[in-house]
Amino acid sequence: DADVTQTPRNRITKTGKRIMLECSQTKGHDRMYWYRQDPGLGLRLIYYSFDVKDINKGEISDGYSVSRQAQAKFSLSLESAIPNQTALYFCATSDLLAGGQETQYFGPGTRLLVL
Amino acid sequence: GQSLEQPSEVTAVEGAIVQINCTYQTSGFYGLSWYQQHDGGAPTFLSYNALDGLEETGRFSSFLSRSDSYGYLLLQELQMKDSASYFCAVGAAGNKLTFGGGTRVLVKP
């Protein structure tokens, strides 16, 4: 079984709709992240959480919100979807090792199309 | 904040060697990581350098020079399956990882 899962894997929605992307992990990590990737581009951080009570904005948080329901679950919501939010969304978890090494483990991604 | 620069694309033939450079600006630097992402797939961790020097893992090696704020990923004996995007990422004190824009490597027969 995959350590980091995302649902749905693909989603088509209409402008103005509210949608939620869900992420679950079985790695026991405290840190979780949501990224957005546009074609041919890198990963842009939307939100991150270092533990259940900690939520932080990333570089492109406008139009998005998150909820950390438990250590294992981190959801991303688009309050009112717009076409330029069409992208590939990745959830990731990480552990922080001694010396500061942080390795991130990514889910398979959710491909979102906003019409 | 942090910023990273890496080339956008590199093309090479099977069996060749490719070097992907990454320069960074950050405060409280911990280490430099590399991730691989195949088209349609998720990024996966390749390597991590905290200290100066070369780390070798099979056909892939990663190098770091902290004084130059520079590192590279070396892909040797290129295979078709190495066609992918490669991202460098810096870890800094108290912060999450920051990723570079990625280098697309195209391996030709």
Side-chain angles (χ1 to χ4, degrees):
Chain A
D1 289 341
D3 294 319
V4 185
T5 57
Q6 293 182 231
T7 56
R9 294 294 312 279
N10 295 279
R11 179 74 184 268
I12 300 174
T13 191
K14 295 182 178 179
T15 297
K17 294 292 187 181
R18 182 181 188 276
I19 67 163
M20 179 182 290
L21 310 183
E22 300 191 14
C23 177
S24 295
Q25 54 114 347
T26 58
K27 299 189 75 67
H29 292 163
D30 286 327
R31 296 182 168 211
M32 297 188 75
Y33 306 80
W34 275 104
Y35 292 94
R36 167 179 173 158
Q37 187 174 40
D38 294 279
L41 298 180
L43 298 160
R44 291 190 291 171
L45 184 63
I46 306 172
Y47 271 95
Y48 62 102
S49 169
F50 284 174
D51 65 44
V52 175
K53 296 180 180 180
D54 176 73
I55 301 289
N56 304 281
K57 292 183 177 181
E59 57 183 298
I60 55 162
S61 59
D62 287 349
Y64 302 95
S65 63
V66 291
S67 173
R68 186 80 185 266
Q69 301 94 324
Q71 185 199 41
K73 296 184 182 298
F74 193 35
S75 300
L76 175 72
S77 293
L78 283 68
E79 299 303 324
S80 179
I82 57 177
N84 78 359
Q85 291 178 312
T86 292
L88 181 57
Y89 290 85
F90 286 106
C91 171
T93 74
S94 73
D95 53 355
L96 193 61
L97 304 178
Q101 179 179 350
E102 179 179 0
T103 299
Q104 293 198 2
Y105 301 86
F106 287 81
T110 295
R111 197 169 295 277
L112 176 66
L113 173 61
V114 183
L115 300 175
Chain B
Q2 291 86 25
S3 67
L4 300 95
E5 287 192 17
Q6 53 181 125
S8 59
E9 191 171 300
V10 173
T11 301
V13 296
E14 274 188 297
I17 298 173
V18 161
Q19 179 173 314
I20 304 170
N21 299 320
C22 176
T23 57
Y24 59 86
Q25 289 185 323
T26 185
S27 57
F29 176 83
Y30 270 175
L32 185 70
S33 303
W34 290 92
Y35 288 75
Q36 179 191 58
Q37 183 184 28
H38 287 99
D39 282 349
T44 56
F45 173 78
L46 284 178
S47 68
Y48 175 77
N49 294 69
L51 303 176
D52 287 357
L54 191 68
E55 296 278 346
E56 298 181 63
T57 308
R59 295 185 297 111
F60 293 0
S61 303
S62 57
F63 172 83
L64 176 66
S65 168
R66 295 173 69 110
S67 61
D68 294 323
S69 297
Y70 163 78
Y72 65 73
L73 180 69
L74 193 70
L75 315 180
Q76 301 179 79
E77 301 172 20
L78 272 180
Q79 301 177 9
M80 296 298 291
K81 66 180 181 179
D82 298 330
S83 289
S85 292
Y86 294 84
F87 297 90
C88 58
V90 291
N95 291 317
K96 68 291 181 197
L97 285 180
T98 299
F99 287 84
T103 299
R104 187 173 182 86
V105 173
L106 178 60
V107 181
K108 294 187 173 180

